[in-house]
Amino acid sequence: ARSWWSSARELVARVRREGALPQRVREEVTSLAQAAKRDADDFAAYADTTYRAQTGGISDVVPCALQWAQNSTTVFLGVKYAQRWSAPGAIEVVDVKVNLTECCFELEGFGHHSSIRKRYLVGLRLFADLLPEESAWSAASVGRLTATLRKAKPGVKWPRLTQEKGNSKHQVTTWLDMQERWADELSANASKKAKDKGRKDGGKPEDAPKESGKTKAKPAKAPLQAWRKELSRIWKRLRKALRGSELPS
């Protein structure tokens, strides 16, 4: 087949070098080119239809195993084409489609494992919103995919990957290497937020505590007043006694 194409190109090139291309040759070449294009389109359509027929009826659906980590601005997601992260996965997965929206991460792909065609799926409603236009994904090592998901609200630490607290159809584990890599950045961000909150709260005057409705107890009178009165009475009696004891001169 390649020799025929080479011969045809050489024939057309020689005719052009020698002069104008004859009408009969031009029509023949155009007709052959159009026929070749139709045959190629028909073959592509047949291959696509056959592949869809083979994958469309696959009943062996595999929810992919997941690993995740985060820093203050980004969630890092690892996908393995296997039901468990420790299990061997599909070596080659084709027709991979990823859909990233503000709330969700979805994936679909088809592959073979142990000579059995399988359909691999991921369907996640994430804990918080994303910025899809700033997020990306790419094929990683064999049988894996990684995604970088940008948080819509940076600085907020996600307590979990998904909104649902219960069991997930996916095996979800921590991406330890990535989490250790960003541990210091997460800690620094948390400390900064705590300091900012402390400064903000410290700038507001605290309201004085209100009384609970009870009347204040009056302070007891000092005993000095009673002693003062008693001393005054003694002094008066003493003065009378002194006057009575005075002798005439």
Side-chain angles (χ1 to χ4, degrees), residues 53-64:
Q54 291 177 345
T55 58
I58 293 177
S59 59
D60 197 351
V61 177
V62 179
C64 297

Side-chain angles (χ1 to χ4, degrees), residues 77-96:
L77 182 65
V79 179
K80 185 174 184 179
Y81 299 117
Q83 195 158 2
R84 301 189 66 80
W85 198 267
S86 58
I91 296 177
E92 183 179 2
V93 176
V94 298
D95 201 20
V96 176

Side-chain angles (χ1 to χ4, degrees), residues 43-110:
F43 177 77
Y46 171 77
D48 185 69
T49 302
T50 303
Y51 175 78
R52 294 296 176 184
Q54 291 177 345
T55 58
I58 293 177
S59 59
D60 197 351
V61 177
V62 179
C64 297
L66 308 173
Q67 286 188 340
W68 79 290
Q70 64 178 313
N71 61 19
S72 60
T73 61
T74 307
V75 171
F76 306 97
L77 182 65
V79 179
K80 185 174 184 179
Y81 299 117
Q83 195 158 2
R84 301 189 66 80
W85 198 267
S86 58
I91 296 177
E92 183 179 2
V93 176
V94 298
D95 201 20
V96 176
K97 296 180 180 178
V98 175
N99 184 30
L100 274 170
T101 61
E102 291 183 356
C103 69
C104 306
F105 177 89
E106 297 173 343
L107 176 147
E108 179 186 41
F110 299 91

Side-chain angles (χ1 to χ4, degrees), residues 164-226:
E164 297 79 10
K165 293 183 179 180
N167 294 330
S168 171
K169 61 183 178 181
H170 301 283
Q171 182 198 37
V172 181
T173 56
T174 302
W175 192 344
L176 294 177
D177 293 343
M178 190 67 75
Q179 194 68 24
E180 290 177 0
R181 176 181 176 183
W182 293 103
D184 293 341
E185 192 266 358
L186 274 175
S187 299
N189 181 71
S191 299
K192 181 177 181 300
K193 288 182 66 177
K195 290 180 181 179
D196 293 343
K197 186 177 184 300
R199 284 195 294 266
K200 183 177 179 181
D201 294 342
K204 295 180 179 180
E206 296 183 356
D207 296 334
K210 296 181 180 180
E211 299 294 336
S212 59
K214 296 181 180 180
T215 57
K216 292 184 178 180
K218 295 182 179 180
K221 291 183 178 180
L224 182 59
Q225 296 181 3

Side-chain angles (χ1 to χ4, degrees), residues 117-138:
R117 289 193 302 272
K118 296 180 183 289
R119 182 185 180 202
Y120 297 93
L121 295 176
V122 177
L124 299 176
R125 186 171 185 84
L126 300 166
F127 177 79
D129 288 345
L130 305 175
L131 297 176
E133 65 277 5
E134 297 184 18
S135 302
W137 65 274
S138 63

